């Protein structure tokens, strides 16, 4: 009976170690991808000229980015003063856009509402 318990304990330890290793690998791949994405995004000089600032936030649902109002399609967790760049769509032109928050290194999907009046 002791041998069965010891084998069972070793099996659960092995499972936990494998799970821990997979979790670490997943997290490192995500952070490496984020760093790669940011480097590739900012390597283009035209992108550096197109960095915009979040001017206002309303309950994580509405954002004023320079002179345009955007609605979140998901939770974005943007703060006033965050620097963003448009990775998909164009600033103030496309109805749907994806921005990349340079402060927190997170993408966010937005819908253009209208210009600030």
């Amino acid at each position: 009976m002791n041998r069965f318990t010891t084998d069972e304990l070793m099996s659960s330890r092995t499972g936990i170690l494998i799970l821990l290793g997979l979790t670490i690998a997943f997290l490192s791949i995500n952070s490496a991808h984020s760093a790669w994405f940011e480097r590739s995004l900012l390597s283009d000089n035209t992108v550096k000229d197109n960095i915009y600032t979040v001017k206002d936030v309303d309950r994580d649902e509405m954002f004023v980015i320079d002179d345009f109002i955007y609605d979140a399609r998901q939770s974005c967790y943007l703060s006033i003063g965050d620097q963003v760049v448009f990775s998909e769509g164009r600033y103030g032109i496309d109805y749907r856009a994806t921005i990349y928050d340079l402060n927190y290194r997170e993408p966010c999907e937005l819908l253009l509402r209208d210009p600030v009046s």
Side-chain angles (χ1 to χ4, degrees), residues 60-61 63 70-76 88 95-98 108-112:
D60 198 35
E61 296 174 1
F63 308 98
Y70 291 90
D71 293 315
R73 294 177 61 200
Q74 63 188 36
S75 293
C76 293
E88 292 179 19
Y95 177 69
R96 293 177 184 246
T98 301
C108 178
E109 295 181 19
L110 302 174
L111 299 173
L112 175 64

Side-chain angles (χ1 to χ4, degrees), residues 14-95:
T14 303
I16 290 171
L17 287 174
I18 290 172
L19 184 60
L20 182 63
L22 289 173
T23 303
I24 291 171
F26 176 75
L27 292 174
S28 65
I29 287 171
N30 281 345
S31 64
H33 179 265
S34 177
W36 169 84
F37 181 71
E38 187 172 342
R39 275 194 312 273
S40 67
L41 195 62
L42 295 176
S43 65
D44 187 7
N45 287 333
T46 59
V47 172
K48 291 179 183 176
D49 297 334
N50 295 318
I51 295 175
Y52 301 97
T53 303
V54 177
K55 300 288 185 187
D56 195 13
V57 176
D58 183 21
R59 294 174 292 165
D60 198 35
E61 296 174 1
M62 184 276 305
F63 308 98
V64 175
I65 300 174
D66 282 347
D67 295 326
F68 289 93
I69 300 172
Y70 291 90
D71 293 315
R73 294 177 61 200
Q74 63 188 36
S75 293
C76 293
Y77 309 110
L78 294 173
S79 301
I80 295 173
D82 282 356
Q83 301 289 308
V84 299
V85 65
F86 283 75
S87 59
E88 292 179 19
R90 291 171 291 173
Y91 167 72
I93 296 173
D94 290 336
Y95 177 69

Side-chain angles (χ1 to χ4, degrees), residues 101-113:
D101 184 357
L102 298 175
N103 298 71
Y104 295 102
R105 298 184 169 119
E106 291 289 328
C108 178
E109 295 181 19
L110 302 174
L111 299 173
L112 175 64
R113 189 189 303 174

